[in-house]
Amino acid sequence: MTTPSSSSIPAVRAIVTGHTHGLGAALAQQLLSRNIAVLGLSRSSNPTLARSYRNTFDEIKLDLAQTQQLAHWLAGEDLSRFIAGAHCVLLLNNAGTVQPIGSLEQQTPDAIAHAIGLNVAAPLMLASAVACASTGGAERRIVHISSGAGRQAYAGWNIYCATKAALDHHARAVALEQNPLLRISSVAPGVVDTGMQAEIRSTSAEQFPLRGKFDELKRNGQLATPEQTAEKLIAYALSDAFGQTPVSDLRELA
């Protein structure tokens, strides 16, 4: 695939969810280092980025699992002001949760609602808002951070699998609409060494029978770093190849 420099797509503005840690923080930092303005959406703030990129970084504290809170924010003008004048708007739907882990009878209604709000409702709401925001003829590029769990079922992850599969199918359906100003792909980034991985390794084998596999990946140094993954993901998102396949795996891209 052809990987452009940060200047080959003029006036890119990026929205990154979950920008305060892990892959989201790496994505935000690397976009900013390319002189791409970033709007971060998360429950907490990222003071390191705020200090280092005063002119090109902004953030909004939002609990993305609370759909009414997100809907209220989207009804305001913050998003429109941020993307005004952009030639390309890049949305990276990164925020998510692997909880609740465990069999169906171990899950609570609140935990299920929280996961669906954060993993499904928020990305779809933001995608719609970006697609219809008034920015003239600006191109929109929407990246759902998916998972192999959306394509392969795992015991103990029935909610996580279902929510990631929802993102994949959303991207497939949106791609069929053939909007000439919109590209979308639901991208599985591979196994990344983040807090989510630590959370998985702290789960009992009773809750998640495949936990030992993730212990082994960590022990053998087979987890990608957030920085490595962010670099590949941004290169893909800004490339000519992005959007040609609505569901993709970062590990399989040339």
Side-chain angles (χ1 to χ4, degrees):
M1 67 187 174
T2 302
T3 303
S5 67
S6 59
S7 61
S8 60
I9 300 179
V12 180
R13 289 180 172 264
I15 301 104
V16 181
T17 66
H19 69 288
T20 59
H21 59 274
L23 179 58
L27 286 165
Q29 193 281 323
Q30 291 190 29
L31 287 162
L32 289 162
S33 71
R34 290 170 174 248
N35 295 318
I36 293 174
V38 169
L39 174 63
L41 305 178
S42 180
R43 286 180 301 173
S44 55
S45 59
N46 191 323
T48 300
L49 294 182
R51 286 192 301 268
S52 301
Y53 299 96
R54 295 171 186 259
N55 297 324
T56 52
F57 174 67
D58 200 359
E59 58 187 338
I60 302 291
K61 284 189 178 183
L62 277 176
D63 185 347
L64 295 170
Q66 302 299 318
T67 55
Q68 289 302 316
Q69 185 182 138
L70 176 58
H72 177 75
W73 180 74
L74 288 172
E77 301 297 325
D78 287 347
L79 181 62
S80 296
R81 279 195 294 265
F82 175 74
I83 64 180
H87 290 263
C88 177
V89 180
L90 175 62
L91 171 62
L92 289 149
N93 279 316
N94 163 75
T97 180
V98 72
Q99 296 292 346
I101 299 175
S103 60
L104 187 62
E105 64 272 15
Q106 295 174 313
Q107 298 159 5
T108 67
D110 284 348
I112 294 169
H114 182 273
I116 293 172
L118 181 58
N119 289 6
V120 183
L124 270 55
M125 291 166 71
L126 287 164
S128 176
V130 165
C132 68
S134 177
T135 60
E139 181 186 43
R140 278 76 160 178
R141 297 188 178 208
I142 298 170
V143 183
H144 292 327
I145 303 299
S146 185
S147 169
R151 301 152 204 184
Q152 172 67 45
Y154 294 99
W157 273 7
N158 54 71
I159 298 300
Y160 186 64
C161 290
T163 58
K164 292 304 183 180
L167 294 184
D168 289 354
H169 220 44
H170 179 259
R172 292 186 183 103
V174 170
L176 291 176
E177 296 167 7
Q178 298 183 332
N179 182 334
L181 293 177
L182 189 148
R183 302 187 192 197
I184 188 169
S185 188
S186 190
V187 185
V191 188
V192 188
D193 197 3
T194 64
M196 184 180 288
Q197 284 298 312
E199 190 175 359
I200 291 167
R201 294 192 300 273
S202 70
T203 304
S204 70
E206 181 184 0
Q207 288 177 295
F208 183 51
L210 284 179
R211 195 202 73 179
K213 171 186 174 182
F214 290 85
D215 290 335
E216 185 177 353
L217 289 172
K218 176 66 172 179
R219 188 166 54 248
N220 295 337
Q222 293 176 277
L223 302 180
T225 68
E227 292 74 23
Q228 291 168 333
T229 304
E231 183 177 5
K232 292 179 182 178
L233 190 57
I234 292 168
Y236 176 52
L238 297 180
S239 73
D240 293 337
F242 181 76
Q244 293 178 8
T245 304
V247 174
S248 54
D249 191 312
L250 203 59
R251 295 163 294 188
E252 297 173 358
L253 298 173

